[in-house]
Amino acid sequence: MTTLTSQPEWQRLSELAASVKDAHMRDWFAQDPSRAETMQAEACGIHLDYSKNRVTQEVLDGLFELASARGLDSARSEMFGGEPINTTENRAVLHTALRNFSGQPVMVDGEDVMPEVLATLEKIRTFTESVHSGEHKGYTGKPVKDVVAIGIGGSFLGPKIMTEALKPYRSDAVNVHFVANVDGCHIKDVLAGVDHEETLVVMSSKSFSTQETLQNTVTARDWFLAQGGTQEDVAKHFVAVSSNVKAATDFGIAEHNIFPMWDWVGGRYSLWSAIGLPISLSLGFENFKGLLEGAHEMDNHFKDAPLKSNLPVIMAMLGVWYRNFFDAQSTVMLPYYHYLRGLPAYVQQLDMESNGKQVTKDGEVVDHETGPIIWGSEGTNGQHSFHQLIHQGTSLIPADFMLPLNVPNQDDTHHAMLASNCFGQTQALMQGKTFDECYADLEGAGLDDETRQHIALHKTMPGNKPSNTLLFNQLDPKTLGSLVALYEHKVFVQGVIWQVNSFDQWGVELGKVLGNQVLDGIQGKADADQFDASTLQLIEKFRNANAPK
Ligand code: F6P
């Protein structure tokens, strides 16, 4: 395949970038009254206004032409068709099969995976219902009141953030607590607040080899035994989600308490699998299913909609535009909805673990930028801190604003203020405020002209800062499912353009290996000459601080 940067469509975009760099969106809005109407799209209850972007129709056409030229159509078919597109691990990538309600088979290596997917879904349903109804009892005959969900990365972020985002839909049958970090403070605090007779531990680890998750589960099991439970009782209080059934049973989890997953589900794409069990336990199975249905709707939209009205494609190509032609190093996500405050952290793993790559699928070192840094937090809080840099700093930071038009138990005044801040920020970023406007504002402020000019200069807002605005009605399970799938497909499209494998994560492996060696060092089981001088010094400091007194 032609390299990305020598692709004629890429070169055309370079020329277009040079030609629009000095243009201001404020002028485009003034010149074209239909801009906002033209540059919007809608699918699955999600409305996208992308008119506040530094693009003309010609640029958009150029971006879609690049997507076609890079083989987006066939790449998409390969993913949905179960081809082993995760080439370094020789695996299919089929999170879409986990939410496939089409009734159609999905084949991997000549075998339909849907019967197993549906059987696991049914197991999640019956288990959730037995916990909620009180039929599933602990070893002393008490029903479950608290669930402690242990996992990390994709085996944590999805379940935690979805249950947080859907707080208004939670069932009051059980409280779900999440623990990820190996920092013992967290598990200790959580276990201190629950009664072992009424607690169910859900251990989620696709590999069943992740240090943090294994250690937290051992700590939970030791706590359970110390509180009075026996090894035999563990079966009533511990379940696991894993694709490594052998390791889970070796650990002591009863086989019937293991919810399966498969190697064709990537960690950061796994919330739709049994990794979502804590979501079902928190919200009830029907709401979990709603999430899956919403994602399935977005899958269909992504597969079927023409590129120019395809939400994931539009957002992906705008991202490529800024990353590769405007040198934008990061993208900020700004959910104006308190319950959706975790989404930036979720998309951070999804995007940065997927597209934070330096080698193409063909094994060439890339000669173009790949995945951006993803960050952000809930609005309006950021307006009183980091928005300063987005407005007046020297980096270009494209922003995704998002807002539900209605919220449950709405307080109209609060909600109107929230919305006005959200829209107001997009406006301020786009139009800015000129020096002349700032200078005029200072009329009558009693300043001499030199001071007036000086202050006006500091107050000048360049504007021309791009943003997307995503609106939806209430954030119900279905809409959230669609929203998350929208970001998944956006990341996929960008991976296709940059020609990286979006589904492996070799970059996190070295740290795991060295972390274990350092642990040996701390525990006095490793030779000092294994470590560089700095690391050795750190180890020694730790050992000294923890030496028996
Ligand atoms: O360390 C990265 C990672 O492999 C993620 O991709 C994954 O989501 C997480 O660790 C947890 O892995 P597991 O589910 O195997 O415990």
Side-chain angles (χ1 to χ4, degrees):
M1 197 178 209
T2 327
T3 65
L4 177 58
T5 51
S6 56
Q7 186 94 34
E9 290 77 4
W10 180 274
Q11 286 166 5
R12 170 87 186 111
L13 284 167
S14 288
E15 288 160 19
L16 283 170
S19 76
V20 302
K21 267 209 171 118
D22 294 329
H24 203 293
M25 282 191 275
R26 197 173 38 215
D27 299 327
W28 286 342
F29 272 99
Q31 287 153 13
D32 177 8
S34 67
R35 183 174 172 90
E37 207 184 317
T38 320
M39 294 188 185
Q40 59 171 336
E42 188 150 343
C44 312
I46 299 174
H47 175 86
L48 168 67
D49 178 337
Y50 59 99
S51 60
K52 291 189 182 99
N53 277 289
R54 292 172 68 171
V55 289
T56 58
Q57 200 48 56
E58 206 180 359
V59 169
L60 288 168
D61 292 343
L63 288 166
F64 298 135
E65 277 158 26
L66 177 69
S68 301
R70 297 308 291 172
L72 177 59
D73 258 4
S74 53
R76 197 169 42 181
S77 308
E78 279 169 18
M79 176 171 75
F80 282 97
E83 298 296 323
I85 60 169
N86 176 355
T87 42
T88 60
E89 295 176 302
N90 192 28
R91 289 177 183 165
V93 173
L94 276 176
H95 44 283
T96 51
L98 301 166
R99 57 219 192 189
N100 168 28
F101 295 107
S102 70
Q104 297 301 309
V106 178
M107 308 303 282
V108 176
D109 292 334
E111 213 179 294
D112 181 11
V113 299
M114 286 315 297
E116 250 192 294
V117 168
L118 296 174
T120 306
L121 214 48
E122 182 57 14
K123 188 170 163 126
I124 295 171
R125 185 184 69 77
T126 51
F127 187 71
T128 303
E129 286 173 3
S130 73
V131 170
H132 282 196
S133 67
E135 189 192 323
H136 179 100
K137 293 188 174 25
Y139 78 101
T140 56
K142 292 186 181 171
V144 172
K145 232 170 78 186
D146 290 284
V147 173
V148 176
I150 300 175
I152 199 163
S155 297
F156 154 73
L157 281 164
K160 161 107 181 347
I161 286 156
M162 300 313 128
T163 52
E164 206 170 78
L166 295 172
K167 186 167 182 228
Y169 297 85
R170 275 187 204 164
S171 144
D172 46 21
V174 291
N175 288 316
V176 182
H177 315 263
F178 291 93
V179 179
N181 197 341
V182 76
D183 183 339
C185 305
H186 195 184
I187 184 102
K188 199 168 145 231
D189 280 358
V190 168
L191 296 178
V194 298
D195 180 340
H196 79 291
E197 294 177 44
E198 299 169 326
T199 297
L200 175 78
V201 175
V202 179
M203 189 275 200
S204 302
S205 176
K206 178 183 170 187
S207 59
F208 214 94
S209 67
T210 304
Q211 184 202 53
E212 293 93 327
T213 305
L214 288 174
Q215 184 55 45
N216 280 325
T217 310
V218 166
T219 300
R221 188 183 54 189
D222 291 349
W223 161 84
F224 177 77
L225 298 174
Q227 298 284 312
T230 66
Q231 191 56 48
E232 209 178 294
D233 301 327
V234 165
K236 293 205 167 89
H237 291 265
F238 284 71
V239 300
V241 183
S242 186
S243 62
N244 191 345
V245 176
K246 176 158 183 336
T249 47
D250 288 352
F251 182 86
I253 309 273
E255 196 157 347
H256 66 270
N257 282 344
I258 300 170
F259 291 75
M261 60 185 295
W262 306 276
D263 68 2
W264 42 262
V265 185
R268 54 195 171 274
Y269 299 87
S270 64
L271 79 92
W272 325 99
S273 72
I275 292 289
L277 178 63
I279 307 177
S280 180
L281 288 167
S282 175
L283 309 175
F285 179 75
E286 284 309 314
N287 284 325
F288 177 58
K289 193 166 167 228
L291 201 64
L292 269 54
E293 284 166 350
H296 178 58
E297 258 187 44
M298 184 54 76
D299 293 342
N300 288 338
H301 166 75
F302 177 52
K303 266 195 296 196
D304 301 336
L307 300 191
K308 63 180 178 19
S309 52
N310 195 308
L311 261 53
V313 177
I314 296 169
M315 288 182 65
M317 297 315 294
L318 288 170
V320 168
W321 179 239
Y322 296 119
R323 183 77 184 105
N324 298 114
F325 299 97
F326 284 73
D327 200 26
Q329 299 197 347
S330 78
T331 295
V332 65
M333 297 193 60
L334 300 166
Y336 277 65
Y337 183 39
H338 179 63
Y339 295 144
L340 201 50
R341 63 191 179 279
L343 193 70
Y346 180 79
V347 174
Q348 197 167 59
Q349 185 199 14
L350 172 66
D351 200 320
M352 293 171 74
E353 210 177 40
S354 296
N355 287 342
K357 307 286 165 66
Q358 57 182 356
V359 173
T360 67
K361 284 182 109 172
D362 296 335
E364 302 288 333
V365 175
V366 294
D367 64 349
H368 51 80
E369 300 293 347
T370 61
I373 299 159
I374 305 291
W375 60 289
S377 72
E378 69 184 296
T380 60
N381 301 9
Q383 290 178 212
H384 301 274
S385 72
F386 58 77
H387 281 226
Q388 164 62 34
L389 185 145
I390 309 176
H391 285 290
Q392 283 190 316
T394 51
S395 303
L396 182 80
I397 305 178
D400 282 356
F401 286 83
M402 52 199 78
L403 173 88
L405 295 171
N406 292 106
V407 293
N409 308 317
Q410 184 161 313
D411 176 313
D412 286 344
T413 310
H414 278 265
H415 199 58
M417 285 182 178
L418 186 70
S420 58
N421 273 287
C422 174
F423 303 158
Q425 284 295 306
T426 71
Q427 193 184 7
L429 286 168
M430 184 277 286
Q431 70 184 31
K433 193 163 178 178
T434 63
F435 173 84
D436 289 349
E437 287 164 343
C438 295
Y439 183 80
D441 276 356
L442 292 169
E443 166 118 55
L447 303 172
D448 60 57
D449 193 57
E450 196 185 332
T451 311
R452 190 173 161 189
Q453 294 216 28
H454 178 72
I455 302 293
L457 191 63
H458 282 269
K459 288 188 149 197
T460 301
M461 312 260 292
N464 222 11
K465 311 281 186 186
S467 69
N468 293 314
T469 306
L470 294 148
L471 302 177
F472 26 84
N473 207 358
Q474 211 149 295
L475 189 73
D476 56 18
K478 241 176 131 183
T479 309
L480 181 60
S482 300
L483 183 66
V484 174
L486 161 59
Y487 276 95
E488 284 179 348
H489 295 318
K490 173 196 163 185
V491 168
F492 171 78
V493 173
Q494 293 185 332
V496 171
I497 303 298
W498 292 322
Q499 229 219 322
V500 296
N501 180 355
S502 303
F503 302 102
D504 59 13
Q505 58 284 319
W506 298 108
V508 301
E509 293 308 321
L510 179 61
K512 291 183 191 174
V513 173
L514 294 189
N516 281 326
Q517 280 174 17
V518 172
L519 183 60
D520 284 346
I522 284 176
Q523 293 175 340
K525 298 185 217 153
D527 294 335
D529 61 8
Q530 282 191 22
F531 305 107
D532 63 83
S534 161
T535 309
L536 187 61
Q537 181 171 280
L538 298 172
I539 292 172
E540 286 309 325
K541 282 220 172 283
F542 187 88
R543 278 172 64 84
N544 291 339
N546 288 280
K549 301 282 179 302

